[in-house]
């Protein structure tokens, strides 16, 4: 039987690549639910190609256009934030791909897990802001979370067959983004278009900016802590500009396993969809015979202070990662609209982490409240 896939965030970078994988293996997969926030034109085109059971457009102003365009099909069309949650609860899919960017992906993911659905997780913020609650729900409902981020997929692959062996540490690799080696006097004048030019990966705007500031690696450290049940001091980061080794696991005997491959998100996407099997594909292969050098270095946390702030949030825990993530989302939003400078993003995040109340053991409602407070605080600083 085909595995029925619900793609929450189908018009983004990850969502479109998930659909490419599905299109390449129509005998294995069907797309049952497609959702988007604003991009009604692409959502319509995807729906017409893949004929899902349900589509949801988050922006209710675009509902009429989607409904009209799909009126000749049996596809059910819904709109609004509540519809996303309702779609996640419908028993018409086997696996959710959680690809909604940011905090907005938390609620649908929790609902899918509550329904016992497996989740292919591409939304790292879900575990950053409420990792304890999300992983508890996964265990309680026996609903597996399979990571799609290349770094976490790499760790996941390295751990297959190692369930009884203790991890000493994991090392997440980072390309360093477009500003590797640059200093603050250079970053002071960086504009959005320059920051969006990632050297290795094809990604959406938000994650590309996070990569440029190294916040993305900080978020991934917190995600790894929850996904693999690690202590903060077991999670490390190294700069690896070539993006060939995607992450490393070192076991207590000193043995090291690493997962390698060309920087192509379709590989971890396909692995998540087909796990525990591997399926033949025509993706480009890394060629060891070609002259190449793999380099590693420590990240420059004095210049890229977002990584230092994320490490602080990782170590302190509580609602601090939630506060950091919310302030970062607002700061990136403002930077992409040329409202603040590149280095100003860090200042906004640091202020929110310093000023807002710390809760050591937050509930789910505490997380939602902390998220809202941090967004309002960051917006007030930026004067959005």
């Amino acid at each position: 039987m085909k595995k029925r896939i619900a793609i929450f965030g189908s018009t983004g970078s990850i969502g479109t690549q998930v659909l490419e994988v599905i299109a390449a293996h129509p005998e294995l997969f069907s797309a049952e639910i497609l959702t988007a926030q604003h991009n009604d034109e692409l959502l319509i085109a995807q729906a017409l190609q893949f004929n899902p059971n349900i589509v949801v457009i988050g922006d209710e102003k675009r509902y009429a256009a989607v409904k009209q365009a799909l009126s000749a099909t049996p596809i059910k069309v819904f709109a609004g934030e509540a519809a996303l949650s309702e779609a996640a609860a419908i028993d018409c899919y086997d696996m959710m791909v959680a690809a909604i960017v940011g905090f907005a992906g938390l609620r649908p993911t929790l609902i899918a897990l509550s329904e016992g659905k497996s989740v292919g997780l591409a939304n790292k913020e879900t575990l950053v802001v409420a990792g304890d609650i999300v992983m508890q729900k996964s265990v309680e409902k026996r609903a597996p979370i399979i990571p799609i981020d290349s770094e976490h997929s790499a760790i996941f692959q390295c751990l297959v067959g190692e369930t009884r062996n203790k991890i000493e540490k994991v090392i997440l690799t980072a390309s360093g983004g477009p500003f590797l080696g640059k200093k603050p006097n250079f970053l002071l004048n960086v504009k959005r278009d320059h920051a969006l030019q990632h050297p290795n990966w094809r990604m959406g705007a938000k994650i590309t900016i996070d990569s440029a500031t190294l916040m993305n690696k900080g978020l991934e450290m917190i995600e790894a802590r929850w996904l693999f049940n690690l202590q903060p001091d077991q999670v490390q980061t190294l700069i690896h500009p070539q993006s060939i080794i995607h992450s490393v696991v070192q076991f207590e005997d000193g043995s090291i396993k690493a997962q390698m491959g060309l920087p192509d998100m379709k590989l971890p996407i396909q692995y998540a969809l087909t796990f525990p099997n591997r399926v033949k594909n025509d993706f480009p292969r890394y060629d060891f015979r070609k002259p190449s050098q793999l380099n590693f270095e420590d990240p420059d946390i004095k210049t890229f202070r977002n990584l230092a702030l994320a490490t602080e949030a990782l170590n302190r825990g509580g609602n601090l990662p939630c506060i950091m993530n919310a302030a970062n989302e607002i700061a990136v939003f403002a930077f992409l609209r040329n409202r603040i400078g590149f280095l100003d993003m860090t200042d906004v995040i640091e202020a929110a982490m310093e000023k807002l109340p710390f809760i050591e053991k937050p509930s789910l409602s505490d997380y939602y409240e902390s998220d809202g407070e941090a967004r309002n605080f960051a917006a007030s600083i930026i004067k959005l």
Side-chain angles (χ1 to χ4, degrees), residues 180-181 237-241 295-300:
L180 179 62
T237 297
L238 274 180
I239 300 296
H240 169 48
N295 304 102
F296 305 91
E297 61 187 81
D298 284 328
D300 179 3

Side-chain angles (χ1 to χ4, degrees), residues 63-98:
Y63 170 76
V66 177
K67 180 70 173 175
Q68 175 60 33
L70 301 180
S71 59
T73 76
I75 299 169
K76 305 175 190 71
V77 180
F78 303 99
E81 183 179 345
L84 285 172
S85 298
E86 290 165 4
I90 295 174
D91 188 21
C92 69
Y93 66 97
D94 305 305
M95 181 182 201
M96 170 191 281
V97 173

Side-chain angles (χ1 to χ4, degrees), residues 184 187 213-215 300-312 324 342-351 353-354:
L187 298 175
T213 66
L214 291 193
M215 175 57 82
D300 179 3
I301 60 174
K302 290 184 178 178
T303 300
F304 297 92
R305 293 191 301 119
N306 276 2
L307 186 54
L309 293 175
T311 302
E312 178 189 351
M324 179 195 71
F342 187 83
L343 295 178
D344 295 331
M345 288 187 281
T346 301
D347 294 335
V348 170
I349 298 162
E350 186 173 35
M353 292 174 66
E354 288 178 351

Side-chain angles (χ1 to χ4, degrees), residues 285-334:
R285 266 57 172 171
Y286 179 68
D287 189 347
F288 282 92
R289 297 168 299 179
K290 291 183 178 179
S292 183
Q293 189 171 3
L294 302 181
N295 304 102
F296 305 91
E297 61 187 81
D298 284 328
D300 179 3
I301 60 174
K302 290 184 178 178
T303 300
F304 297 92
R305 293 191 301 119
N306 276 2
L307 186 54
L309 293 175
T311 302
E312 178 189 351
L314 169 66
N315 289 327
R316 288 187 64 193
N319 68 332
L320 196 60
C322 180
I323 290 169
M324 179 195 71
N325 177 75
N328 179 64
E329 288 191 25
I330 295 299
V332 171
F333 175 88

Side-chain angles (χ1 to χ4, degrees), residues 71-184:
S71 59
T73 76
I75 299 169
K76 305 175 190 71
V77 180
F78 303 99
E81 183 179 345
L84 285 172
S85 298
E86 290 165 4
I90 295 174
D91 188 21
C92 69
Y93 66 97
D94 305 305
M95 181 182 201
M96 170 191 281
V97 173
I100 295 175
V101 176
F103 183 85
L106 173 59
R107 193 185 302 276
T109 301
L110 275 174
I111 292 172
L113 293 172
S114 297
E115 296 296 323
K117 305 296 185 182
S118 64
V119 171
L121 189 66
N123 171 294
K124 60 181 64 66
E125 293 89 351
T126 289
L127 288 183
V128 169
V129 301
D132 53 343
I133 291 173
V134 173
M135 295 309 296
Q136 181 182 346
K137 184 63 67 176
S138 172
V139 171
E140 176 189 322
K141 295 295 183 178
R142 298 185 179 181
I145 297 176
I146 303 174
I148 286 178
D149 269 348
S150 62
E151 296 82 359
H152 302 89
S153 175
I155 296 168
F156 185 80
Q157 292 180 58
C158 289
L159 292 177
V160 170
E162 301 280 3
T163 52
R164 297 185 180 182
N165 295 317
K166 289 185 68 175
I167 298 170
E168 187 170 290
K169 64 181 177 182
V170 301
I171 302 173
L172 302 167
T173 59
S175 70
F179 306 130
L180 179 62
K182 302 300 183 184
K183 296 301 179 183

